[in-house]
Amino acid sequence: RKVSGFINSPRMGSACASRYTGENWKCLFGQYRLPTVTTPYIIFHSQYDSHQLDRNLGGTVRTEVHRSNAVQWAQQTVASLHGLANRADGRVAVHSWACYNHAVSTSASFNQLAAGGATQAEALAQYMGWSPSSGSNVWIDSCTTFACGLGCTAGGGTTLTTTTTTSST
């Protein structure tokens, strides 16, 4: 919130600024800003973004508590992404995989990591009209456990060892 006061950017978008009068800081974050953007766009987003989760959970996802929180995070992410895709009249495409990774679009994973039956490269090609469309601009993994996407291991996902503590009495 304090950062938005320092920035005082005129590029927050008038639609977003008018929606969040007095809370312009929200326009710095995609979950608030993207619903107000009218320009066509495609989103590539890891449901278990390791950078975000590690920062918000205070470290790597290792415990069952962290894992549970990560699953809740992913569920909120998926709901937001579906909301964007459903309101966009085909101008927004969403590709979201259920893997624990970050910034994989700049690696070989762009051509390997799949969600909803398409790799990132295939989703982009369909969205741009460079290849035949699958009929939808939404490619979202729908599994519901931690880092459960089918393309995770082939596409740069991370396999984690979970530490479970139990007490013996």
Side-chain angles (χ1 to χ4, degrees):
R1 294 178 190 183
K2 290 180 182 179
V3 170
S4 69
F6 293 125
I7 293 173
N8 195 21
S9 174
R11 294 187 177 93
M12 295 279 197
S14 58
C16 188
S18 65
R19 179 181 282 189
Y20 298 108
T21 304
E23 296 181 299
N24 287 355
W25 63 267
K26 288 184 175 182
C27 297
L28 294 171
F29 298 95
Q31 70 262 35
Y32 302 107
R33 176 72 185 270
L34 287 175
T36 68
V37 173
T38 57
T39 304
Y41 58 90
I42 185 168
I43 297 174
F44 295 107
H45 195 292
S46 174
Q47 294 170 24
Y48 295 94
D49 185 292
S50 58
H51 178 79
Q52 290 295 320
L53 287 171
D54 292 355
R55 298 311 171 275
N56 290 318
L57 297 177
T60 304
V61 177
R62 292 272 183 213
T63 68
E64 288 302 321
V65 172
H66 283 160
R67 194 170 287 236
S68 176
N69 290 336
V71 169
Q72 288 177 351
W73 174 282
Q75 290 169 345
Q76 291 172 351
T77 297
V78 168
S80 294
L81 293 172
H82 274 297
L84 287 173
N86 290 338
R87 297 182 23 204
D89 301 328
R91 63 182 171 77
V92 173
V94 177
H95 187 275
S96 179
W97 54 97
C99 301
Y100 182 74
N101 55 25
H102 176 76
V104 296
S105 296
T106 61
S107 70
S109 295
F110 187 75
N111 293 303
Q112 299 169 349
L113 195 139
T119 66
Q120 294 176 26
E122 292 165 343
L124 178 62
Q126 289 179 37
Y127 179 67
M128 297 301 294
W130 302 332
S131 68
S133 174
S134 64
S136 172
N137 281 342
V138 179
W139 303 271
I140 298 177
D141 275 343
S142 59
C143 57
T144 57
T145 57
F146 181 77
C148 54
L150 294 176
C152 293
T153 55
T158 303
T159 303
L160 296 175
T161 303
T162 302
T163 303
T164 306
T165 55
T166 58
S167 62
S168 57
T169 53

